[in-house]
Amino acid sequence: MLTKDGIIKSIKHGFIEWVESIGASINESVKGLGNIVLFTVNFFYWVFKRPFRLHLLVDQLFFIGNKSILIILLAGSFTGMVFATQTYFGFKLINVDSLVGAITAIGLAKELAPVLTGLIVAGRAGSAMAAQIGTMKVTEQVDALEVMGINSIQYLAVPRIVAGTIAVPMLSAIFLYIGNVGSYLVGTTSLMIDEAIFFSKLSEFMHVADIWQGIIKATVFGFVISVIGTYFGFQVEKGAEGVGRGTNLAVIWGMISVLILDYFLTVVLVRIL
Amino acid sequence: MKFENPAISLQNVTKTFGEHTVLNNLNFDIPKNKITTILGFSGAGKSTLLKHILGVIKPTSGKVIVLGQDLAELDEYQKREFRRNFGMLFQYAALFDSMTTIENVAFPLKEFSKLTLSEISEKSQHLLTAVGLKSESFNKLPSELSGGMRKRVGLARALALSPHIMLYDEPTTGLDPITTKMVNDLIVETAEVNKENGLTTVIISHDVRATLEISDYVAFLDRGRIVEYLPVDQFKKSEHPLVKEFLRL
C-alpha cells in the first residue's frame, strides 16, 4: 500500500533523476561544443602547414560546388518565382507592386540565397563529408593515414572545410542570380510588371551592401557546415550504424547552425554594412 | 628476455585509462631482424601496446624506445616523420576505397618520396608483382578484390617506403585456411627478402597456429603484462598455465 512518505520519496526520486538527466545532457552538449571548438582550432593549425594538397581541394570544390549547381539552379529559380508571386499579391493591395523585383532581389540577396544554399549544402555535402570520413574511420583507413605519418585532419578535413568555405558563397551568388532571373520572368510575363519599372526600382532600392551581407553569411555557413560535417565524420564509431548516426547528426546540426547563425549574423551585419 | 640493440624496447611502460590499467609496468624488448609475435586474449592490451610502439598514444609512465629513439623526446611533427620507419598491415588491409590497387600502393610514394610519376608507377607495379598480384588487378578498386588479394595490396603499400619495422595487426583473423597460409607465407617471405634491409617484424595476433608456424619469438600478454616471452620452440613447451590453456585452443 502506498503511504504518504512513500509517495513523497518517489516524487523526490523522480525529480532528482529528472534534474540529473538534464544535467547530463547539458554536460554532454557543452563537451560536444568544446570538442568542435578544439577541432576548429586544430583545423586552423593544419590549414597553414605544408604540404598543401591542392588536388584534394580541387576535388572537393568539384564535389561541393559543381555537383550542387543543378539543385541550386532549380531551387534558386523557383524560390525567386514564388517569392515574386507572393510579394506581388501582397503589394498589389497597397499599390506598390512595382517594388516586387527590388524586394525579391533584396530578400534573396540578404536571406534566401545564403540560407537556402546553406541548407542545401548541409543536406548534400555536409552529410557526404560525415559519411565519407566516418566510413574511412570504421574501416581503419584513417588509422592507415596516421600510421603513414599523415595527419588525418590535414588530409581529410582541411580540403573539405576550405572547399566548403569557398564553394558556398559562390553557389549562393548563383542562387541569387538565377532567383532574380526567375523573379524577372514571372514579374514581367505573368504578373505584367513593366520591365523598365522592374529594373529602375531594383537599381534604386538594392545596394551592394545587400549582396555583401549575403556573401559574408554564405561564407560563414560554408565554413560551419563543413566543420560540422567533418567533425561528425571523425566522431563515428561502431560500424555502419555509427556512420548513419554521424551522417544524421551532421545534417541536423549543419542545418540548425545555419538557421541560428543567420539571426546573429543579421544582427551584426545590418549594423556594420 | 633482453636483447642487445633491440628494434623496440618498452621500459616500465604503464598505461592507465581512468581507473583501468591496460599496460602494467611492461618491460619488453623486440629484437631486430626477427619475427616476434605478441599473443593474447581479447582485451589483453595488444592494440594499446601497438599504439605505444607507433607513438600514437603516450604511456602514463615509462619509456618506449624504437630504433634507439625515445619517442617521448619527439614532438608531434617529428613523431609523424619517425612513423615512416613503420609499415603496417591492418586486419582488413585498410585500403583507401576511392583509389585503385595501384593508386593505393603509389600513395605513400607520392606523399613522401621524390620519385617521378613514372618511377612511382614502376615501383608500385614491382611491389604488387612481388606480393603475387597479377597486372589485371592493378586497376581494380579494393571492393573488387578478395580478402587475400586486399591483404597483398595492403602489404605492398606497407612496404612501399622500405620500412625498418613491419607491424601486422591480426593478419590471419577471419581468413580461410588457404588464405591464412598464403598470408603467413607472405609474412615470412617479406621478412626474408627484407632481412638485408634490417626488417623487424612484429605480429599482434590471437591466432596460435599461424603464429607458431612463422615466429622466431613469441610473447604472451595478459592483463597488461608479458607473462611469457620465449623463442618459439620453447614457447610451445611453456609450463605457464595461461599459455598452456591458450595453446590448447
Side-chain angles (χ1 to χ4, degrees), chain B residues 19-46:
Chain B
E19 304 265 298
H20 187 54
T21 302
V22 183
L23 299 179
N24 193 353
N25 200 27
L26 217 60
N27 280 294
F28 178 45
D29 283 354
I30 294 175
K32 275 184 180 164
N33 281 335
K34 300 283 177 194
I35 301 177
T36 303
T37 298
I38 301 159
L39 276 176
F41 294 103
S42 298
K46 300 190 296 289

Side-chain angles (χ1 to χ4, degrees), chain B residues 58-82:
Chain B
K58 286 179 187 169
T60 309
S61 62
K63 277 183 181 180
V64 180
I65 296 168
V66 179
L67 303 171
Q69 172 67 55
D70 183 352
L71 296 186
E73 288 171 359
L74 302 176
D75 62 27
E76 201 50 41
Y77 201 76
Q78 290 168 323
K79 238 182 242 177
R80 288 185 180 282
E81 296 271 315
F82 190 76

